[in-house]
Amino acid sequence: MKALATLARLHVDDLDEALPALRALTGQDVRTRFSHGGVEVASIGGFLLVAGDEQALAPFRDVQSTVLVDDLDGLQALLTAHGGKIVDGPNRVPTGRNATVRHAGGVVIEYVEHSA
């Protein structure tokens, strides 16, 4: 499993309000935007925005970063070698598959393998 990109997660109230400043900052436009699990999600530059009210965002708040990977099936080898456990997934999501992991030391990362 190889990391292709790391996205900083930003929890926001409203995507339409948050995106203009990030467009100006990154000089890029939104790559993906969709609704999933009661929240709206958008990626732009090196950011992944997750929008919703407090109740909708609650299950997403523990995740500190999103890592795009070439092959989610390699996740177990990483965990076997370095500790940690899968806390959710693998799941089908609008962009492909994801899994959330709590690594040794406590960091929580979402891993995403995009579909072609």
Side-chain angles (χ1 to χ4, degrees):
M1 181 178 75
K2 179 181 175 186
L4 304 174
T6 302
L7 303 175
R9 286 180 75 120
L10 305 175
H11 300 108
V12 301
D13 298 325
D14 185 284
L15 285 181
D16 292 323
E17 290 182 11
L19 285 170
L22 291 171
R23 277 190 190 98
L25 175 66
T26 65
Q28 298 181 22
D29 204 359
V30 174
R31 284 190 314 267
T32 57
R33 185 171 178 169
F34 58 90
S35 296
H36 179 71
V39 296
E40 283 188 274
V41 179
S43 63
I44 183 170
F47 300 100
L48 182 72
L49 285 73
V50 183
D53 61 28
E54 283 303 315
Q55 182 177 354
L57 287 174
F60 298 89
R61 289 222 183 258
D62 286 343
V63 179
Q64 296 160 301
S65 186
T66 296
V67 177
L68 305 180
V69 296
D70 64 343
D71 181 10
L72 193 62
D73 294 332
L75 186 56
Q76 191 56 56
L78 178 71
L79 298 178
T80 298
H82 300 284
K85 67 177 185 168
I86 294 175
V87 296
D88 186 44
N91 302 300
R92 284 265 162 226
V93 294
T95 56
R97 298 187 307 150
N98 80 337
T100 303
V101 170
R102 179 176 303 281
H103 285 278
V107 66
V108 179
I109 297 175
E110 174 195 29
Y111 291 89
V112 178
E113 174 191 334
H114 279 190
S115 299

